[in-house]
Amino acid sequence: MAAAKAPVPSLGHVLVVGGCGFLGSHIVSLIAKRHPQTRISVLDLRTTANRHASPTVSYHDGDITDLHALEALFAQLRPDAIIHTASPHFHLPPAVHDKVNVEGTKNLLAAAQETGVKAFVYTSSASVILGPETELVNANEDWPMVTGAAQPEHYTSTKAYAETAVLAANRTPASFLTCAIRPAGIFGEGDVQLLPPMLSAFRKGQTKYQVGANDNLFDFTHVENVAYGHLLAVQALLYSHKMLPTVPLDTERVDGEAFFITNGQPVYFWDFARAVWHEAGDRRPLSAVWKLDRDFAMGVGAILENLFWVLGRTPNITRKQVRYSTLSKYHDISKAKRRLGYAPLVQLDEGVRRGVRWQLENEAKAAQKKDQ
Amino acid sequence: MPGVKDIAYYAVHPTQLRSIIQWKVWHNPVHERDESKESASLKRCFHFLAQTSRSFVAVILELHPDILVSVAIFYLVLRGLDTIEDDMTIPLAKKEPILRDFHNIIEQDGWTFTENGPNEKDRQLCVEFNVVIEEYKKLKPAHQAIIKDITKRMGNGMADYVKNAEFGINDNGVNTVKDYEKYCHYVAGLVGEGCTRLFVEEGKANPALLKRTELHESMGQFLQQVNIIRDIKEDFDDKRRFWPKEIWSKHVDNFEDLFKPENKAKALACSSEMILTALRRADDCLFYLAGIKEQSVFNFCAIPQSMAIATLDACFQNYDIFKRNVKITKGDACQLMLESTQNLQLVCDVFKRYTRKIHKKNNPHDPNFLQISIACGKTEQFIESIFPSQKPPVDEKKNPVNAEEAARLKKEAEETKWETIYMVSAVIGTILFISGIMLVVAWFAGARFDIALSQAKEQLGQLFGSGGSINASAPLDTKPSTDHSEL
């Protein structure tokens, strides 16, 4: 595998599905930076946002739930590798997740299998092994997925079904190689789900609270590292493809496998929040922080949720938030380190600095636009 | 004898007193040395050992007999070397050749050194160094070779350091973090290597420890760095400076500014960075301990490490280190010794406990806040990797692998539910049907349900003893119903 770890100038022709999204656009940039001779195509529902300026990148509007359109596009592009990052926003209704995550992924697989694609990398989620009762303490890929009736988040179930479909399609036909990347807690420049709520909590003065004892370690991953994991996976699959029909040893193989990708630097949950707040300008001393007992906060959350349900709004403190902020959720990423040669490119503190600065600048720009 | 202050302290800290008593009462050495068989020179060596090392003598004396004397002599040889290096009254021209040649000196019968200054505390050891040499020569040749090799490398490292200091290359202090770690390597990392080779030689440790050189290096570095952090004030008063300029210059312009009250926040941030540098070694130390096979060796290695992490906690975010020598209490020390003389899991518990204590004091506005959190997380994650608190759950419920299976499972569950409903209704229906037929047959046969009903009512009334009207009518109804029951 050593040869696969050295960066190569070109990954051939890579199609990034969802390449205008948060993660997808970072993947496009990183390919352009690390493998500059790669031809990159982007498929997205709308390709107006997050466009890369390089002439090596072409943009194509399209809907992955439309199989015929996909087949036509694939026949025209004939990519060597697919990176499938497209996924609807977590808060959309279940039917959307079924349609995009499950059906859309199957369509992409079918189109790829027909047009001789060599490598297919799917962006799954680290949450596929997280059940409603369990904590993830140094969890690795041996943990079973939690889906269906046992999985309270329908989104997560559909990510798991899609991942299973992708891995099941590995080596059918024999020259089609697939794998899945499971990122945990993605944040960074352009992120809409993790940093913005934390920054708004800071503006609301919520930095004076902490729920629980803050002994729970949590994986947060800078988006560039997640992108890097995808690149390494493509490179490894293409390398295995070159070795065909030789099949790698079970302990080295990448095709047909899932990999957790994190920063490999789990920190205590509230430490991450406080680092973000500090970067945004918070200077509240630790001694001025109120520590709320977890069970008490759960009770408050339950009461508020019910009160606000009557009003048709979401309260500042919910049981889900309490659970997440007091939950241990971190992974053992030795499999990715060993088989993909992965190590984070961006350290956690550097990632926080870059992410928060981007968010603040972006907000300032948005405010300027409003004024004009 | 304990002073009034101590008595008052333990009166309000009974758990600490309990630890002290437990340690004194219950701790039995794994091995005890047999003084009757010792030669006069060896007895003299143990005398020096007790004099020169307050912290190590107890653990050395309990070591397995196979390595006890070798480790003691190793310690004394290095102590002799250190005493010569430390002595500022010896001119460089005289000092340097001795340091560089010390590995040969320890083989010269009767060699002694009387030129130490009168204030050098371990002066007498050098004056009678011939006893150490005498005992060194009785050691196994393999042990001699290890001690000789380490002495040679340490002597040369010290000579280089002394020379640099003399020529003002590092203005009597350490410049870069690399220099700092190099210094710690010569004075402590090498000791770790020498001890490891002795342990492996005698089969007391896993030979793999020799291949993972960063592990024994970390053992030495961790102890030495913690000492350097704790002794900041004492070293400063003695005009020595081990904190590297690369670190303190980020916080203050001149080293002595660290001690000015107006720079308190900067001094704390600087000490945090020093503590972070040491803390990053904690997981390696636990990994190393996992390779020890013999209890006395385990204790010998684990006790100083536990003390070190506790000391690190005592120094963290504590401005007192710039004013005086901060120490862990005797009660805590005994508690740590109790926990460090059993097994790796308990030592891991100690590390986890102190890691969390450190993390709880971590200041969000410290420049290294997140780095410290990462270092704590790394130690915790390592402990989890050797003693997992959770196993991967078994997929008992057979989670569905795709939407179709999920739909099928859901449908199956639904079908099972309806099957149950059908079954229960069939049973109830059958019972009702048969009861109905029996009632009809009974009615045709002339059964008097009106009487049965009123009798049942009345018996119920008797049972609960209520309703006067039912009681009153009871005697009237009794007769016909009893007749009937005889039918």
Side-chain angles (χ1 to χ4, degrees), chain A residues 139-328:
Chain A
N140 64 14
E141 291 82 356
D142 294 340
W143 286 49
M145 288 185 171
V146 182
T147 56
Q151 175 57 260
E153 305 293 349
H154 186 70
Y155 169 86
T156 306
S157 275
T158 59
K159 290 300 280 185
Y161 299 152
E163 182 194 303
T164 311
V166 170
L167 299 184
N170 183 44
R171 292 187 186 264
T172 38
S175 63
F176 182 61
L177 304 179
T178 69
C179 75
I181 298 293
R182 296 171 174 176
I186 314 181
F187 73 97
E189 302 89 301
D191 137 39
V192 289
Q193 298 199 20
L194 209 148
L195 292 180
M198 278 190 181
L199 292 174
S200 84
F202 164 53
R203 300 220 171 83
K204 286 187 207 157
Q206 290 171 359
T207 63
K208 63 172 168 284
Y209 300 112
Q210 171 190 306
V211 181
N214 193 21
D215 281 331
N216 51 318
L217 289 168
F218 215 94
D219 265 329
F220 296 93
T221 315
H222 187 264
V223 62
E224 190 172 322
N225 295 329
V226 179
Y228 182 48
H230 285 76
L231 265 56
L232 289 172
V234 170
Q235 206 178 322
L237 291 184
L238 290 176
Y239 181 77
S240 299
H241 189 273
K242 223 197 273 174
M243 294 290 118
L244 282 171
T246 311
V247 178
L249 292 174
D250 275 356
T251 50
E252 289 181 353
R253 73 191 283 166
V254 172
D255 62 282
E257 299 285 333
F259 297 92
F260 287 111
I261 292 287
T262 72
N263 248 59
Q265 298 172 312
V267 288
Y268 304 96
F269 181 90
W270 292 96
D271 282 11
F272 183 82
R274 299 220 168 268
V276 167
W277 293 334
H278 175 87
E279 196 57 43
D282 181 42
R283 292 293 178 272
R284 182 184 298 279
L286 202 57
S287 52
V289 172
W290 289 32
K291 294 186 183 81
L292 305 180
D293 179 68
R294 181 186 187 273
D295 295 335
F296 171 75
M298 274 287 185
V300 172
I303 294 166
L304 287 180
E305 274 173 57
N306 286 311
L307 279 178
F308 277 70
W309 177 78
V310 177
L311 301 171
R313 283 169 47 205
T314 319
N316 280 336
I317 177 168
T318 63
R319 276 173 291 181
K320 205 162 147 183
Q321 285 171 336
V322 172
R323 173 161 190 253
Y324 260 82
S325 60
T326 55
L327 175 79
S328 290

Side-chain angles (χ1 to χ4, degrees), chain A residues 98 102 106 134-138 140 142-150 160-161 164-165 213-215 217 264-268 270-272 274-275 278 282-286 330-333 347-349 352, chain B residues 352 355-356 359-378 380-386 388-407:
Chain A
D98 284 334
V102 184
K106 283 184 180 165
T134 47
E135 293 199 296
L136 302 181
V137 178
N138 206 27
N140 64 14
D142 294 340
W143 286 49
M145 288 185 171
V146 182
T147 56
Y161 299 152
T164 311
N214 193 21
D215 281 331
L217 289 168
Q265 298 172 312
V267 288
Y268 304 96
W270 292 96
D271 282 11
F272 183 82
R274 299 220 168 268
H278 175 87
D282 181 42
R283 292 293 178 272
R284 182 184 298 279
L286 202 57
Y330 72 99
H331 299 271
D332 168 10
I333 58 163
Q347 300 302 303
L348 198 64
D349 49 355
V352 168
Chain B
K352 190 168 166 178
T355 298
R356 287 192 169 175
H359 136 63
K360 290 271 160 66
K361 287 187 279 185
N362 198 5
N363 172 12
H365 312 300
D366 186 301
N368 289 294
F369 170 67
L370 210 50
Q371 288 294 338
I372 292 167
S373 189
I374 290 169
C376 291
K378 185 169 153 234
E380 282 210 40
Q381 185 172 23
F382 178 76
I383 293 170
E384 274 295 329
S385 74
I386 51 173
S389 62
Q390 267 188 334
K391 275 186 193 158
V394 189
D395 193 5
E396 279 167 346
K397 285 182 219 151
K398 284 284 159 245
N399 285 302
V401 296
N402 55 39
E404 289 77 38
E405 199 188 331

Side-chain angles (χ1 to χ4, degrees), chain B residues 27 81 127 147 153 276 291 328 432:
Chain B
H27 175 73
L81 191 63
V127 171
I147 295 172
R153 285 153 63 196
L276 168 64
I328 49 176
L432 287 177

Side-chain angles (χ1 to χ4, degrees), chain B residues 104-371:
Chain B
N104 291 322
I105 287 174
I106 54 174
E107 291 179 338
Q108 293 170 19
D109 289 324
W111 186 88
T112 58
F113 187 74
T114 51
E115 287 158 68
N116 274 120
N119 294 329
E120 201 56 41
K121 63 179 167 36
D122 296 329
R123 189 178 191 283
Q124 195 58 30
L125 170 66
C126 291
V127 171
E128 294 179 48
F129 206 73
N130 57 322
V131 294
V132 179
I133 294 172
E134 195 180 331
E135 285 304 318
Y136 167 82
K137 288 197 148 180
K138 291 183 198 160
L139 298 177
K140 273 187 179 181
H143 292 193
Q144 286 187 28
I146 294 167
I147 295 172
K148 188 179 165 77
D149 177 47
I150 300 292
T151 307
K152 182 179 175 187
R153 285 153 63 196
M154 190 183 285
N156 278 301
M158 282 176 168
D160 291 344
Y161 176 80
V162 170
K163 214 168 147 187
N164 283 345
E166 184 84 7
F167 293 118
I169 291 171
N170 44 14
D171 57 68
N172 197 24
V174 181
N175 280 323
T176 62
V177 174
K178 219 176 140 196
D179 291 343
Y180 168 64
E181 298 201 322
K182 199 168 161 189
Y183 173 78
C184 293
H185 168 74
Y186 282 122
V187 301
L190 282 174
V191 183
E193 183 189 326
C195 287
T196 309
R197 283 162 67 181
L198 287 173
F199 302 154
V200 171
E201 178 69 32
E202 290 302 317
K204 307 283 185 275
N206 188 332
L209 288 182
L210 291 179
K211 294 203 183 89
R212 297 290 303 265
T213 52
E214 76 279 11
L215 298 183
H216 56 68
E217 182 66 28
S218 282
M219 290 287 282
Q221 290 274 348
F222 191 61
L223 298 185
Q224 190 63 29
Q225 291 192 15
V226 171
N227 284 345
I228 287 175
I229 292 163
R230 183 199 55 199
D231 296 341
I232 175 73
K233 173 71 173 147
E234 196 184 315
D235 286 335
F236 178 66
D237 291 344
D238 292 348
K239 306 207 165 25
R240 282 182 303 194
R241 200 199 73 202
F242 296 108
W243 287 26
K245 190 174 180 181
E246 190 182 338
I247 289 181
W248 60 255
S249 63
K250 284 187 214 166
H251 307 275
V252 288
D253 295 332
N254 299 302
F255 185 64
E256 50 275 19
D257 293 347
L258 285 175
F259 300 87
K260 293 180 182 158
E262 66 267 29
N263 292 330
K264 185 176 172 183
K266 288 174 184 166
L268 277 177
C270 182
S271 69
S272 291
E273 194 167 340
M274 290 295 294
I275 287 169
L276 168 64
T277 310
L279 198 59
R280 287 191 174 128
R281 305 263 182 183
D283 56 336
D284 276 356
C285 297
L286 293 173
F287 200 168
Y288 178 93
L289 292 176
I292 302 295
K293 294 185 193 165
E294 203 268 341
Q295 186 69 51
S296 72
V297 175
F298 179 84
N299 300 353
F300 172 77
C301 296
I303 291 175
Q305 299 294 330
S306 296
M307 298 288 181
I309 193 142
T311 306
L312 217 46
D313 165 56
C315 295
F316 187 56
Q317 293 293 333
N318 184 355
Y319 188 65
D320 284 352
I321 61 169
F322 295 100
K323 294 191 273 187
R324 57 183 174 83
N325 199 332
V326 170
K327 274 188 189 160
I328 49 176
T329 64
K330 193 149 187 246
D332 283 339
C334 286
Q335 176 66 29
L336 287 164
M337 289 197 286
L338 282 170
E339 289 171 299
S340 309
T341 47
Q342 293 172 59
N343 57 52
L344 182 58
Q345 190 153 15
L346 277 180
V347 176
C348 283
D349 288 348
V350 169
F351 268 64
K352 190 168 166 178
R353 190 166 75 231
Y354 281 98
T355 298
R356 287 192 169 175
K357 279 184 162 187
I358 290 171
H359 136 63
K360 290 271 160 66
K361 287 187 279 185
N362 198 5
N363 172 12
H365 312 300
D366 186 301
N368 289 294
F369 170 67
L370 210 50
Q371 288 294 338

